[in-house]
Amino acid sequence: MKTICLYFEIHQIIHLKRYRFFDIGTDHYYYDDYENDRSISDIAERSYMPALNVFHEMIKEHGKAFKLAFSLSGVGIEQLEMHAPQVLAKLQELNETGCVEFLAEPYSHGLSALANEECFAADVKKQVEKMEQYFGKKPTVLRNSSLIYSDDIGAQASAMGFKGMLTEGARHALGWKSPHYVYNCAMAPNLKLLLRDVDLSDDISLRFNNSEWEGYPLFADTYINRIASLPEDEQVINIFMELSALGIAQPLSSNILDFFRALPACAKAKGITFSTPTEICMKMKSVGALDVPDTLSWVDEERDVSCWLGNPMQREAFNKLYSIADRVRIANDPRINQDWDYLQASNNFRFMTTKPSNVGLDRGIYCSPFDAFTNYMNILGDFMNRVNSLYPEEIDNDELDSLLTTIKNQGDEIEMKDKEITRLKAKVAKMQTEENKLKAAVDKAKAEDKPAAKKCAKKSEAKAPAAKKAPAKKAAKKDK
């Protein structure tokens, strides 16, 4: 039986303000608050809330027959907390239905997986804790920023305890294979891979409202018929996109939400179900390993990382940023950590791209890639000075490695103690349960013994007067 895995990304760009060379050392605030407020409020009103309301109505109508998944970047959550808390409230309502899964991803929506393993692990762990805080459950499936993946990244995801990972069904990675199967990481067989169907996903997110597209207009029954006509053994259809595609990339006037409303009924008529990523990872076996030695993503025709690291400016900014990753972790300053998250966001590097793209790129305040590079490097220069003031650059590498080893050992020790505390809490809870059961059994036994005790007492009371009268009769005979 075929099943559709529907997934949406929620991330918000943190807009940097115009920051000039002479601001370095005097201004440590890097963000355009007005633009951040305006953009997230606009997206929430035109996209997030209408789409989430429709999904909620669909779940009410179809129940467990309709399921979907979301992931939220940590920086995106922070923007929603400040400017559009109603979106988070609606996501919590959806969570309560039991038909929605929330996935893990890097908190910063950054490129740390390409630079620093410890940084990547910390980035993901921070977002996982945020998701647990909001939705009460630890994610078991990971999606990296922009579905960035390679064999090495998959091995690290497996080591972090994830059951599965989402990535792109890129032709250069698949070759003759189909994206409609479950695969596993070549370096970690326990990690299952769900591959995005590029055409079916982009038909909705990129082409739905394009009147010049040969598939226009796209109707729900036509779409489901295409899925139903796939070979019988191709059972997993992964449709992944940004949530902002519904309302921003494809305006609401295109009837994009009516299209989604009709999908469950059309799917049911063809015997097609909806599943969450974890359900697929738990129920379906891998058909084999997928070798991805070179990094892929879901961006541009090349489906690689060249849109972020394709020119010397981008690589210079990237290398400069992650050259201080270890020092940032050692400093562990709250304000530094927040700026670190925002400066890692992948869009900062995307604005510097010189590649032509089929998808329009809005550079915001920047008039060119070089303008974006210059502004970012000015901010990064000030940020690096702040980091070095907390942890001086002159400290040699041996001392830095020693401190990092100490921090890692402390982290491992804390993790072990946390596990021991969890184990002991579970043991105490089990003992408490047994004690409660024993107490209940004793109370029940006492309750059952009370009637018998009362009968014995009554018999004793009845015999006692007769025993007292007998001596009186004997005494009367003696008197006679």
Side-chain angles (χ1 to χ4, degrees), residues 70 116 118 161 166 203 208 237 273 279 281 384 389 404 441:
F70 297 95
N116 188 300
E118 289 78 12
L166 310 187
D203 283 351
F208 187 83
I237 293 83
T273 63
E279 287 178 337
C281 290
M384 292 178 70
S389 69
L404 288 171

Side-chain angles (χ1 to χ4, degrees), residues 246-374:
L246 315 185
I248 303 299
Q250 309 303 322
L252 298 181
S253 59
S254 68
N255 297 318
I256 184 76
L257 295 183
D258 291 329
F259 170 83
F260 273 94
R261 282 182 192 274
L263 285 179
C266 294
K268 184 177 181 181
K270 292 292 183 178
I272 298 172
T273 63
F274 287 82
S275 301
T276 63
T278 293
E279 287 178 337
I280 293 174
C281 290
M282 296 296 287
K283 293 178 182 178
M284 296 193 176
K285 294 181 179 180
S286 167
V287 297
L290 185 70
D291 293 307
V292 187
D294 299 319
T295 312
L296 58 82
S297 77
W298 71 354
V299 179
D300 291 345
E301 285 296 320
E302 294 84 357
R303 310 293 180 189
D304 57 14
V305 296
S306 59
C307 67
W308 301 289
L309 301 174
N311 65 46
M313 291 186 297
Q314 292 170 309
R315 292 190 290 273
E316 170 69 14
F318 178 82
N319 293 333
K320 205 81 171 176
L321 175 68
Y322 285 101
S323 70
I324 58 169
D326 293 335
R327 295 176 187 274
V328 170
R329 285 197 295 122
I330 291 172
N332 197 26
D333 177 82
R335 180 67 188 278
I336 290 290
N337 289 342
Q338 184 180 55
D339 290 339
W340 173 248
D341 290 334
Y342 293 174
L343 292 177
Q344 282 189 87
S346 62
N347 55 275
N348 293 312
F349 303 96
R350 184 80 189 276
F351 292 150
M352 304 175 199
T353 186
T354 51
K355 282 181 57 182
S357 174
N358 292 333
V359 182
L361 175 62
D362 180 6
R363 297 184 198 271
I365 63 171
Y366 307 123
C367 58
S368 69
F370 182 75
D371 186 28
F373 171 73
T374 302

Side-chain angles (χ1 to χ4, degrees), residues 394-421:
E394 290 76 19
I395 294 178
D396 60 37
N397 290 331
D398 289 339
E399 186 173 351
L400 180 64
D401 291 339
S402 177
L403 279 169
L404 288 171
T405 302
T406 301
I407 290 171
K408 185 179 185 305
N409 291 339
Q410 288 175 342
D412 293 342
E413 186 177 348
I414 290 171
E415 187 175 353
M416 288 178 63
K417 287 182 178 179
D418 286 342
K419 288 180 179 179
E420 182 65 14
I421 289 170

Side-chain angles (χ1 to χ4, degrees), residues 14-17 29-41 79 82-83 342:
I14 305 297
H15 296 274
L16 302 177
K17 69 181 182 182
Y29 192 77
Y30 312 133
Y31 315 108
D32 186 340
D33 290 334
Y34 173 81
E35 183 58 25
N36 285 326
D37 185 2
R38 186 206 64 78
S39 61
I40 189 67
S41 299
Q79 291 299 298
M82 287 188 287
H83 307 300
Y342 293 174

